[in-house]
Amino acid sequence: AKTLTGALWVFILGTLINVAFGILLIFGGQGYWRWQKLAFLFAGGSIVIAIVLLVTGGANISGAWNDFVGKFGGLKFEEIIPAAQAAGYSLPSASPGLDLGATILMLPWVFFVVGYAQGSAQIGGEVKRASTTQYIAMVGGVLINGAVLALLVILFVNAVGADWIGALGAIPGDKL
C-alpha cells in the first residue's frame, strides 16, 4: 500500500480510472452515467458517514490511529506533535490568528472541482435552458461543496486539533 501512495502510482491509477470512464463514454453515455452515479453515491455516502462519525464521537481517531500504526511500528497519536516539534515545526497555536492570504488562495480549489472538471460541457448538454440555469447550478454546486468541505474541516479540527493536523503534515512519511 505504501507504494500506491507514491506520485507515480497516483498518476498511474488516476490515468487508469480516466481511461476506464473514457471507454465507457465511447461505448455510450448510458453506461458512463450509470457508473458515474454509483461513484457519486459511494463518495457522497462516505462523506455522510464521516460527518456522522465526527458529530457523534464515533470517530475515536486517536484510538484508531494508535491501532493502525501499532501494526506497523509507527508514531502513536500523542507522539506526533513532539516529533514534529523536534523536526523544527512551529505549532499553529503558537501564532494564533487567521491567515487571510492562505485562506483566499485555497478558495479556487473548490471551484476547480465543480467548475472546471466537468462544468460547462456536460452541464450545458444536460440542462434545459442552460444559458440561465447553468450559472445557478454551478454557483450552487460550488457553495454546497464549500459548505460540506468547511463542515468536514471544522469537525475534524474539533476532533483532533489544528496542532495535530499541522504536525502530521510536517513529519516526512517515512518517519511516521
Side-chain angles (χ1 to χ4, degrees), residues 162-174:
D163 287 346
W164 190 85
I165 296 168
L168 181 64
I171 301 172
D174 61 339

Side-chain angles (χ1 to χ4, degrees), residues 11-174:
F11 175 77
I12 291 170
L13 290 173
T15 301
L16 289 174
I17 291 169
N18 283 331
V19 167
F21 274 103
I23 290 170
L24 282 172
L25 277 174
I26 289 170
F27 291 111
Q30 196 170 25
Y32 171 81
W33 288 113
R34 186 177 312 114
W35 282 102
Q36 186 75 352
K37 203 180 301 183
L38 289 173
F40 179 81
L41 287 173
F42 176 76
S46 299
I47 291 170
V48 169
I49 290 169
I51 289 172
V52 168
L53 287 173
L54 287 168
V55 167
T56 62
N60 177 9
I61 295 172
S62 61
W65 177 271
N66 290 339
D67 288 344
F68 177 75
V69 299
K71 297 173 187 170
F72 303 103
L75 293 174
K76 292 187 176 181
F77 186 87
E78 56 278 356
E79 296 170 338
I80 296 292
I81 293 175
Q85 287 176 314
Y89 177 71
S90 298
L91 297 176
S93 61
S95 57
L98 172 69
D99 185 346
L100 186 60
T103 302
I104 290 172
L105 288 173
M106 189 278 311
L107 291 176
W109 286 105
V110 173
F111 187 75
F112 288 156
V113 170
V114 176
Y116 296 134
Q118 289 116 348
S120 299
Q122 287 181 348
I123 296 172
E126 298 292 325
V127 177
K128 293 179 182 174
R129 294 187 326 269
S131 61
T132 56
T133 58
Q134 181 174 355
Y135 296 114
I136 295 168
M138 289 178 74
V139 171
V142 168
L143 293 174
I144 290 169
N145 275 344
V148 170
L149 178 62
L151 178 62
L152 280 171
V153 168
I154 289 167
L155 292 172
F156 187 60
V157 169
N158 188 46
V160 297
D163 287 346
W164 190 85
I165 296 168
L168 181 64
I171 301 172
D174 61 339

